[in-house]
Amino acid sequence: MDFGMEEVNCPICEKSRGDPFHLEGSFQMVRCSSCQFIFLNPRPTLESLHDFYQQYLPEEEASIESWEKMMKPVFHRAADLLKQYRRNGRLLDVGAGFGFFLAEMKNRGWEAVGVEISQKALDYARNVLGLTVHPGPLEKVDFPDNHFDAVTGFYVIEHLSHPMAFLRECQRILKPGGLLLLRYPHTTPIKNLLDSFGIKNRLYDLPAHLSDFSPKMIQQCLEGMGFEKCQHLIGGYTLPCDLKKRTASILFGSLSETLFRLSGKKFLFPGVSKTVLAFRGNIS
Ligand SMILES: [Zn+2]
């Protein structure tokens, strides 16, 4: 696919265009010289990303099933985590995909709605699973203020051109004290490790991923936006269909879970996907 590309300033601090950091084919990750954020620059325009996401998720029934199996352990862990704070309420899943997390939460007694940019995934969630899903992006839906008890986003924030605007919107539509749960990849440490052995890699999944958040950066953004009581977790691991990927996911996932537990929930294994939970504060 041909992408219309644009050069941008750092999506977090807007202070620099970034210094070259990593190349994958013709795509370049850069590092902001001011806040150190890692982002794709130049990056596809919003219009070409919208077209790209119409083809991003699989379409055949078998692939959708594999997708569900892959994500299930992470969805279960997230649902159990939310249960520690709220038994039910109104939940929004942003980037709901086929709707499997929404279905899980609906089964658990939540009033669950989604937002999804891919028309095919949205059709599946609506027509096959009978869920309420709005066409994305989130900012266009215009939910009321103080509306949701929980907002979730699984592997969404790294795809967004304006992650800060997204967090601001989550803050606005959450009730005070409402929960935000985000799941995101954290690729840079593994990439650096492979680089140090001279191993070429395409771990960033470019140009789908527009940035790579670290737990520190995500906490900084959340707190800057008025979220409180940030908690970081490993939050389980996916089970991809591909045997090699599955083995790596189980190996690193269980190792990082074990180390997290043994460290009294302090050590976050670098390079594996992570979950962050935060609460909307009373300030707006
Ligand atoms: Zn920056």
Side-chain angles (χ1 to χ4, degrees), residues 10 12-15 32 34-37:
C10 170
I12 302 298
C13 74
E14 293 176 2
K15 285 184 186 153
C32 174
S34 179
C35 75
Q36 313 302 312
F37 190 54

